[in-house]
């Protein structure tokens, strides 16, 4: 079981959950209208609905009735966040198939490719979320610091920070998954069996016993009495 892959899965799934929460949240930009504590009013706006509440506890939300009257940057952020959530979902599925501790996904080489694909998908999910949240935040800050902007000014909401955090987690998890394939590329060492030293006499005996045409010579016949006459 690879600890790197488990860490990548935790970061990726945690980031995916944060992206879902940020996309569904209505606190992308907030403002406060307060002449006193009792008459304070909070206004929240998100990608899908506009909400308002007061200090007495009443809270009301109104969805965007039509997409054609929604501003262009909101539609762009919608598309980016939906893409981020979709990619995060598929990245989590690929990560489960590519982990070493699961029995699905095929061989170790195939699992390494799936894990690398999961890492790339997680990184793309984080980049989509980072782009969407940054685009929305740039619009808010531009209107807030514009002295000629006379309409209601808003501040950064909690959903933006949740989206940035989720994007960072997805990118970190994707990088961990991409680098986890190095563990699968390590080739195992070949094992060799040591049979011990072999003597010269044993090797000579094996050679003479293995050859059928060669017969062992008798050293006594080489030194008979005729050799000295």
């Amino acid at each position: 079981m690879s600890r790197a892959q488990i860490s990548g899965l935790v970061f990726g799934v945690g980031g995916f959950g944060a992206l879902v929460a940020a996309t569904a949240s209505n606190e992308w930009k907030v403002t406060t209208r307060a002449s006193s504590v009792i008459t304070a009013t909070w206004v929240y706006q998100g990608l899908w609905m506009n909400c308002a509440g007061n200090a007495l506890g009443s809270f009301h939300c109104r969805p965007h009735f039509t997409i054609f009257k929604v501003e262009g940057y909101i539609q762009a952020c919608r598309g980016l966040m939906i893409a981020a959530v979709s990619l995060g979902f598929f990245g989590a599925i690929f990560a489960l198939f590519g982990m070493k501790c699961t029995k699905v996904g095929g061989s170790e080489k195939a699992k390494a490719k799936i894990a690398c694909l999961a890492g790339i998908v997680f990184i793309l999910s984080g980049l989509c979320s980072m782009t969407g949240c940054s685009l929305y935040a740039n619009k808010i800050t531009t209107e807030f610091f514009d002295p000629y902007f006379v309409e209601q000014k808003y501040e950064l909401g909690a959903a933006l920070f949740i989206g940035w955090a989720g994007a960072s987690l997805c990118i970190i998890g994707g990088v961990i998954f991409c680098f986890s394939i190095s563990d699968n590329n390590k080739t195992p060492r070949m094992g060799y069996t040591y049979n011990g030293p072999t003597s010269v006499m044993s090797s000579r005996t094996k050679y003479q016993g293995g050859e059928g045409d060669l017969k062992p010579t008798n050293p006594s016949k080489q030194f008979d009495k005729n050799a000295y006459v």
Side-chain angles (χ1 to χ4, degrees):
M1 184 179 296
S2 177
R3 295 182 179 179
Q5 289 185 343
I6 295 177
S7 300
L9 182 64
V10 171
F11 279 107
V13 174
F16 168 71
L19 296 184
V20 174
T23 305
S25 177
N26 295 321
E27 297 186 19
W28 282 65
K29 59 182 181 179
V30 297
T31 186
T32 302
R33 302 171 184 173
S35 58
S36 64
V37 177
I38 299 177
T39 60
T41 303
W42 295 273
V43 179
Y44 307 93
Q45 288 193 10
L47 298 178
W48 314 101
M49 289 187 295
N50 299 331
C51 300
N54 55 32
L56 300 177
S58 62
F59 196 79
H60 179 71
C61 292
R62 179 178 62 84
H64 298 295
F65 293 109
T66 176
I67 63 173
F68 298 106
K69 292 184 179 180
V70 178
E71 298 184 51
Y73 77 97
I74 297 180
Q75 296 183 7
C77 292
R78 281 180 177 181
L80 289 171
M81 294 305 296
I82 292 174
V85 172
S86 302
L87 290 172
F89 173 77
F90 287 109
I93 298 298
F94 291 148
L96 291 176
F97 279 93
M99 295 186 67
K100 295 181 179 180
C101 58
T102 58
K103 297 182 179 180
V104 294
S107 62
E108 293 294 330
K109 187 176 181 180
K111 281 180 172 290
K113 294 181 180 179
I114 297 175
C116 183
L117 177 62
I120 295 174
V121 173
F122 272 134
I123 293 175
L124 291 177
S125 175
L127 291 177
C128 288
S129 175
M130 191 75 69
T131 304
C133 294
S134 300
L135 178 63
Y136 202 97
N138 178 67
K139 181 67 175 179
I140 296 174
T141 54
T142 301
E143 293 178 351
F144 187 87
F145 292 104
D146 187 6
Y148 301 101
F149 187 77
V150 296
E151 298 181 7
Q152 179 64 48
K153 295 184 178 181
Y154 294 87
E155 297 181 3
L156 303 180
L160 292 174
F161 299 98
I162 296 175
W164 281 324
S168 301
L169 291 177
C170 285
I171 293 174
I172 293 173
V175 171
I176 293 175
F177 261 105
C178 289
F179 280 99
S180 67
I181 63 174
S182 60
D183 298 336
N184 297 328
N185 294 331
K186 293 180 179 179
T187 57
R189 295 182 177 180
M190 300 296 294
Y192 296 96
T193 304
Y194 180 69
N195 296 324
T198 304
S199 61
V200 178
M201 293 300 296
S202 62
S203 61
R204 181 181 298 177
T205 304
K206 292 180 181 179
Y207 174 76
Q208 292 179 354
E211 297 292 338
D213 299 336
L214 297 178
K215 296 181 179 180
T217 58
N218 190 357
S220 61
K221 292 183 180 181
Q222 297 178 0
F223 302 97
D224 55 357
K225 62 181 180 179
N226 296 327
Y228 300 96
V229 179

